[in-house]
Amino acid sequence: MFTFDNTTIIISVVLLLVALLTSFLNPFFRKVRITEYGVPTSTTESEETSEEEQHVEEEDKALAEPVVTEEPSNEDEPVEEEKEAITELSVTEEQLPTYPPITIIFTPHDNAQELAKNLPLYLNQDYPADFQVIVVAPQNDHETSDVLKRFASNSHLYTTFIPESSRYMSKKKLAITLGVKAAKYDWVIMADICCYPTGDNWLQAIARNCKEGKDLVVGYTRYEDETPAYRHFERHYLARYFMREYQHNKSYACPFNALAFRKSRFLSEEGFRGNLKYIRGEYDFTVNKYASGNNLVFENSFEGTLIEEASTEKVWLGKHLFYMENRQHLERTPQHRFLPYVDQTALHGNYFLQCIALAVSLLLGMWTISVAAGLSLIISIILRLVIGKKALRRFDIEIPAWKIIPYEIAIAWKHLGYKLKYHRADKYDFISHKL
């Protein structure tokens, strides 16, 4: 029966409040800014508004004043309209981004097919300054060598090889280090050849952030459309934690596949020293070591995005297992993991509380609590669907709304599965030599 005593009311109110509060403990609820290509980053919304208001005031003032026509006293002097045009032009020129000469480094390993398909997209970038593309390949990779010969005449391309005898350090990190040393310019981008840019302005979008006082630029990466929906969801869900850290000057690691940094600082602080033996994690270790304060910029405009090709199940699993190993050697790991734990605890705790309350109240015939539990469950689902769908749409990730709830829940359980596989794995598989 329906009862409205103090205990029933308190339990019902608690269920509804928990449903509301936990729905906002959600990475999709925390707004992530999206940069706009072609818009000066120094211009804020308030500045734009004030300029607009000032323009309106000037127009009103001009209408109120009498119109007086005068001939210019000196023909050589520019008229007032020309002066205003010159002023506007000079302001516009000051706001235009500057593009430094830059180097892009690729380190393919058994990726001849991807190299043949994607390398031309980087060599043909529309870039107003000089740039070079360095490919560092294994010495005996004949397929890669054959592909590189096809592009040998391109003035932007430079090729070098790593020796097969390197045993005591990650070959990937060695290849990147050789590429950095061979780079002609101070700004260097390391990227993955299995990714391709969204257009010819990708390099401009990344390089416009290479400014004085900045040492790192992270470029956003997303999966291509053919990738399974859950992988799209999980990558973006987890990436939002990193993006929020970038925008709050608390950079931890880099889950993306484009990272620009200064050659001078990389070499002066001995590159990957301290993590050379770990086979993977070059993006994570670089950001973790060199990011401090506001010296990192995050570029996530459409033009500055790389599209990653769908990976095999083995590669997908390997990324998770190697990350679990690498994060043990990164600084600030507890701080980074705190918020995801809070969000997942709130998510599961809310559903668990609602299901228990609903089941017990139905068994005991406490219909008021049953209604409150059912209503709180509906509120939780609707809020999470609306918040999640809106956040995903902002990044052009089209996932059916009904999949958001099961995908959110699955993240924690899949993570547990990866953790069990990691603990069963041979730890020597994650390092380049045996001790």
Side-chain angles (χ1 to χ4, degrees), residues 190-192 195 219 221 235 254-259 283 306 308 319:
M190 60 177 176
D192 195 330
C195 303
T221 309
R235 178 169 197 165
C254 178
F256 307 111
N257 299 92
L259 176 62
Y283 295 92
L306 287 182
E308 184 174 355
K319 286 183 178 180

Side-chain angles (χ1 to χ4, degrees), residues 160-174:
T160 187
F161 298 90
I162 58 173
E164 290 291 324
S165 58
S166 57
R167 297 179 180 177
Y168 300 107
M169 64 181 295
S170 162
K171 288 187 178 181
K172 184 81 169 178
K173 294 185 177 68
L174 173 61

Side-chain angles (χ1 to χ4, degrees), residues 339-411:
L339 198 53
Y341 276 133
V342 170
D343 290 344
Q344 284 295 321
T345 300
L347 173 70
H348 286 79
N350 177 51
Y351 288 138
F352 179 77
L353 180 63
Q354 291 165 355
C355 291
I356 291 295
L358 186 59
V360 171
S361 61
L362 286 173
L363 287 174
L364 299 178
M366 304 172 70
W367 307 117
T368 305
I369 295 178
S370 298
V371 170
L375 183 59
S376 64
L377 182 60
I378 293 171
I379 289 172
S380 297
I381 292 173
I382 291 175
L383 282 175
R384 285 191 169 272
L385 289 179
V386 172
I387 293 170
K389 188 65 178 178
K390 182 179 178 181
L392 291 169
R393 191 179 290 120
R394 288 185 70 235
F395 283 83
D396 295 323
I397 299 175
E398 291 299 328
I399 293 176
W402 65 268
K403 291 185 177 182
I404 292 176
I405 301 299
Y407 282 176
E408 280 184 320
I409 296 172
I411 283 178

Side-chain angles (χ1 to χ4, degrees), residues 70 72 74-86:
E70 295 182 1
N74 191 337
E75 293 182 357
D76 294 331
E77 290 183 4
V79 296
E80 198 65 31
E81 291 180 357
E82 291 177 348
K83 287 181 180 178
E84 289 178 2
I86 293 169

Side-chain angles (χ1 to χ4, degrees), residues 138-412:
Q139 201 164 32
N140 295 326
D141 190 343
H142 301 297
E143 291 185 9
T144 298
S145 298
D146 292 340
V147 172
L148 292 172
K149 288 176 183 177
R150 282 191 266 162
F151 302 97
S153 61
N154 192 296
S155 60
H156 293 299
L157 181 63
Y158 176 82
T159 303
T160 187
F161 298 90
I162 58 173
E164 290 291 324
S165 58
S166 57
R167 297 179 180 177
Y168 300 107
M169 64 181 295
S170 162
K171 288 187 178 181
K172 184 81 169 178
K173 294 185 177 68
L174 173 61
I176 292 170
T177 303
L178 291 175
V180 172
K181 289 183 177 180
K184 291 194 298 184
Y185 307 118
D186 189 43
W187 276 102
V188 176
I189 301 175
M190 60 177 176
D192 195 330
I193 198 60
C194 293
C195 303
Y196 55 89
T198 53
D200 295 338
N201 293 323
W202 172 79
L203 187 55
Q204 287 191 37
I206 297 295
R208 66 175 178 157
N209 300 290
C210 300
K211 301 175 182 178
E212 190 69 29
K214 305 299 179 183
D215 295 321
L216 299 161
V217 180
V218 174
Y220 182 69
T221 309
R222 55 168 292 175
Y223 283 123
E224 63 182 357
D225 294 337
E226 292 75 15
T227 305
Y230 175 76
R231 294 188 185 181
H232 273 289
F233 182 88
E234 185 195 273
R235 178 169 197 165
H236 184 71
Y237 182 95
L238 298 176
R240 294 184 73 89
Y241 293 105
F242 294 90
M243 291 189 282
R244 287 281 296 174
E245 289 170 342
Y246 296 154
Q247 295 175 353
H248 288 81
N249 300 326
K250 297 177 181 179
S251 306
Y252 167 69
C254 178
F256 307 111
N257 299 92
L259 176 62
F261 55 90
R262 291 186 183 273
K263 172 183 176 178
S264 54
R265 186 175 178 192
F266 183 85
L267 295 179
S268 66
E269 298 187 28
E270 301 181 298
F272 294 109
R273 179 173 291 278
N275 52 74
L276 286 169
K277 68 178 182 178
Y278 304 110
I279 296 176
R280 304 276 184 87
E282 50 278 352
Y283 295 92
D284 291 332
F285 284 118
T286 301
V287 168
N288 194 259
K289 181 176 180 178
Y290 295 104
S292 59
N294 64 346
N295 73 334
L296 182 146
V297 183
F298 180 53
E299 174 63 50
N300 62 351
S301 65
F302 173 78
E303 289 78 6
T305 297
L306 287 182
I307 308 298
E308 184 174 355
E309 298 175 358
S311 58
T312 63
E313 187 64 31
K314 181 180 179 181
V315 172
W316 171 257
L317 176 62
K319 286 183 178 180
H320 290 80
L321 299 187
F322 274 98
Y323 175 69
M324 287 186 174
E325 170 67 24
N326 295 334
R327 73 184 183 186
Q328 298 182 56
H329 314 288
L330 298 173
E331 296 180 0
R332 305 181 296 280
T333 297
Q335 296 92 315
H336 171 76
R337 296 177 66 184
F338 174 75
L339 198 53
Y341 276 133
V342 170
D343 290 344
Q344 284 295 321
T345 300
L347 173 70
H348 286 79
N350 177 51
Y351 288 138
F352 179 77
L353 180 63
Q354 291 165 355
C355 291
I356 291 295
L358 186 59
V360 171
S361 61
L362 286 173
L363 287 174
L364 299 178
M366 304 172 70
W367 307 117
T368 305
I369 295 178
S370 298
V371 170
L375 183 59
S376 64
L377 182 60
I378 293 171
I379 289 172
S380 297
I381 292 173
I382 291 175
L383 282 175
R384 285 191 169 272
L385 289 179
V386 172
I387 293 170
K389 188 65 178 178
K390 182 179 178 181
L392 291 169
R393 191 179 290 120
R394 288 185 70 235
F395 283 83
D396 295 323
I397 299 175
E398 291 299 328
I399 293 176
W402 65 268
K403 291 185 177 182
I404 292 176
I405 301 299
Y407 282 176
E408 280 184 320
I409 296 172
I411 283 178

